[in-house]
């Protein structure tokens, strides 16, 4: 993309009402614009990152055999009355009356609807196991929306639901989701720690939240420092293998890691003092096995092998897709702007032309631009007629991980400069070498 | 995808309340499930086709330099009061009051919001031309939602908006959109004819609707039969070239083609009788140049080259993404089921195993399945333990354009059977040849 043909309204001033770095930077980098309290338009740059995150979530869910679909944003109230949550949900549920005076609502989550769908069509244990998911806009009418997309009212979430014949199968689905979440967050450049969560009125031990450590996190977290040494890495997983998935769960949840809701000071005190950590975290996902609660209420039963009619064992598993943009920026920025991890960057590299209008420099930039595209990469070429300082500041602000600087002095020796946004380090090399280096960096993403 | 691991709830009975073929077939093929009147869940097979259509729309818009973004589903009423449409829109607008008693609405379209965004950030003619678009869910509170996704209440639409300095530039954007729409529909296997539309109270000659001929269409259409001989084909277009885009407009709109809203019997009568056609059509898109109407009301002005402050020339251009599934099926089905055009098919080919559980047949099917995936294709393998008749009926119903049948008799000679859903013709060939043939068929899609 050539910047002169793009729509990237960066702001020079820091917006006064934005309290945290990610909110400020998303506004300044021209990623979002608020349209109403807690409701945002995703400007082109923000939309691109949102799509990258969506794509990673889709890929990792489907890798595990989970099936994508799409439920609508508006739901009839009847399903929620059946589950008993219509009255219980409180003022955060946006209630709507249509022209025929039917009670509706903007879905904050989809347990009722998906259970109704599966209950309608699935009648035999032979159709199991089954995990369906969607990525759809949700609404939660927060009293005080704040922190930009981190606590918005209209937000994008991936929510998935597993349906299994037995508790054992459903716990395998739980473990499988944990694996997919670990992989997804790592691909986004995040370390998200599974922490034991509060299962609320339904009870049970089977729920974990995933938290990204960040000073601006809404939760206080307590953990054994050993947990931050873990990484999932590139290991191969057979998602049908119960023992393999269980082993991952044990590896990633056996050390102490809890939020203030489940923190137990006595257990924490048993960890060697040097490893005890108290910090803050941002919740970016949650997995939850809740048994037959919804299937009994919504009528999702199947015949088992003995011909008996039994309720399905279910769990629901969510990733906060739009919120993740905020979380990633909170975890990865400096005073000049955003620093995108390679896995989610809106453009793979920026090209800065130091002397726009100079025939040789323009031609070198065009060549580089085309070569990057031919290598399967998406460059953003700053072809504006502007000073170098302004171009560097824009690139630093929007946070592309790699910048190629092209100027007449370097070109005299056949060289351009490749700069890492994260380290600030620059290296001179030929344009061909720069393309090769970037193709290599992005090869497995 | 193996069918035993998929969620494809096909129905044996024809749903009683579905009046038209596409609605019946989408329900029977397990593509959608109604959740409330005019509101549907997209089951996995339906969601896959929806995504294919979305992808084509994205690709063709971006090929023309149009920039993707995303506006929210809910909008504040204030913008609509500013444009004067809040009161004018009538009961089809779903009005919502949030917990703080603010007036909101579920967006039926986005002229106000996009004009506000561009008016906020764009101050100089140098940022033009600019075309932004998004694909987002809309809501229209139809009194009598019917015909499945063809006239639903919650529907997915691509709406794009061009912002230009002059009427001439805006008409080029109009022509550019016409070209992108012609290409998009053809890639979906549709012939959509641009017909002069009614510009309503704003007036002007610059609006065309795109109609797909189908007996169940909601509009009566009148056209010169010569227009159905036109096709855009694989021609290369430079979207910056005004003359080229203008020539396409003239080619595709110079023959008589109008809906009942703009039909002129006297002009129609001048066409040689043998070429006069009266039929029915389904509207699948519309392009519209409306001048400075919204930019003046919403305050989208720029400085021109002389330093004067002038309102932007705008147009809006829509494609009915979810409705297109219905239109495609209306145009392409038979009494056995759907016949997907290759460009939008949910799976590229189906594999039918005639003797599930037989080691040799299973192994041949597995080999074929993996070879198709290795060739970049997505097969659906019916690996259920069911009779051949049931497997064929399912494949015919869900409409995959190609079926490979694998049975012990053919395998004895090293052969499988490749069958076209459209013609019903079958050919025996080796599995390798079948993979090659399919790879060739889908090579440029």
């Amino acid at each position: 993309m050539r910047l002169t043909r793009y729509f990237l309204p960066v702001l020079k001033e820091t917006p006064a009402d934005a309290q945290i770095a990610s909110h400020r930077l998303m506004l300044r980098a021209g990623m979002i614009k608020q349209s109403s309290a807690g409701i945002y338009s995703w400007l082109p740059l923000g939309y691109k990152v949102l799509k990258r995150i969506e794509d990673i979530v889709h890929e990792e869910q489907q890798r595990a055999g989970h099936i994508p679909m799409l439920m609508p944003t508006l739901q009839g109230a009847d399903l929620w009355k059946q589950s008993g949550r219509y009255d219980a949900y409180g003022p955060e549920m946006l209630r709507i009356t249509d022209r025929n005076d039917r009670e509706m609502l903007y879905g904050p989550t989809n347990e009722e609807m998906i259970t109704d769908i599966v209950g309608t069509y699935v009648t035999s244990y032979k159709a199991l196991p089954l995990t369906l998911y969607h990525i759809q806009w949700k609404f939660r009418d927060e009293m005080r929306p704040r922190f930009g997309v981190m606590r918005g009212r209209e937000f994008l979430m991936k929510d998935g639901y597993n349906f299994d014949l037995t508790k054992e199968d459903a716990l395998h689905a739980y473990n499988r989701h944990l694996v997919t979440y670990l992989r997804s967050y790592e691909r986004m450049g995040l370390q998200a720690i599974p922490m034991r969560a509060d299962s609320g009125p339904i009870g049970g031990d089977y729920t974990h939240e995933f938290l990204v450590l960040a000073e601006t996190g809404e939760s206080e977290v307590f953990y054994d420092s050993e947990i931050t040494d873990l990484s999932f890495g590139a290991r191969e997983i057979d998602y049908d293998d119960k023992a393999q998935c269980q082993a991952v769960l044990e590896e990633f949840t056996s050390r102490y890691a809890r939020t203030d809701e489940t923190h137990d000071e006595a257990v924490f005190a048993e960890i060697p003092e040097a490893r005890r950590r108290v910090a803050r975290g941002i919740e970016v996902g949650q997995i939850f096995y809740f048994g037959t609660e919804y299937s009994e209420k919504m009528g999702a039963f199947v015949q088992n092998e003995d011909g008996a009619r039994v309720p399905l064992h279910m769990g629901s598993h969510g990733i906060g897709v739009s919120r993740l943009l905020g979380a990633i920026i909170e975890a990865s920025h400096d005073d000049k702007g955003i620093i995108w991890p390679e896995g989610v960057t809106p453009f793979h590299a920026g090209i800065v032309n130091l002397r726009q209008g100079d025939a040789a420099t323009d031609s070198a930039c065009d060549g580089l631009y085309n070569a990057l595209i031919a290598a399967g990469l998406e460059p953003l070429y700053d072809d504006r007629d502007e000073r170098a300082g302004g171009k560097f500041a824009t690139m630093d602000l929007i946070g592309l991980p790699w910048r190629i600087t092209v100027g007449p002095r370097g070109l005299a020796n056949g060289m351009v400069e490749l700069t890492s946004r994260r380290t600030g380090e620059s290296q001179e090399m030929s344009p061909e070498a720069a393309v090769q280096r970037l193709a290599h960096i992005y090869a497995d993403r």
Side-chain angles (χ1 to χ4, degrees), chain A residues 211-226:
Chain A
L211 284 106
V212 174
L213 299 176
E215 284 168 24
T216 49
E218 74 275 52
S219 313
E220 188 164 28
V221 299
F222 305 82
Y223 62 94
D224 179 339
S225 68
E226 280 191 355

Side-chain angles (χ1 to χ4, degrees), chain A residues 3 336-338 349-352 380-382 384 389-404 421:
Chain A
L3 195 43
K336 288 186 282 189
I338 301 165
I351 302 173
V352 167
L380 179 68
Y381 171 19
D382 190 343
R384 294 174 302 166
K391 291 189 175 187
F392 289 147
T394 298
M395 284 293 173
D396 285 345
L397 174 61
I398 68 172
L400 308 187
W402 298 96
R403 185 185 81 210
I404 308 178
R421 172 69 179 88

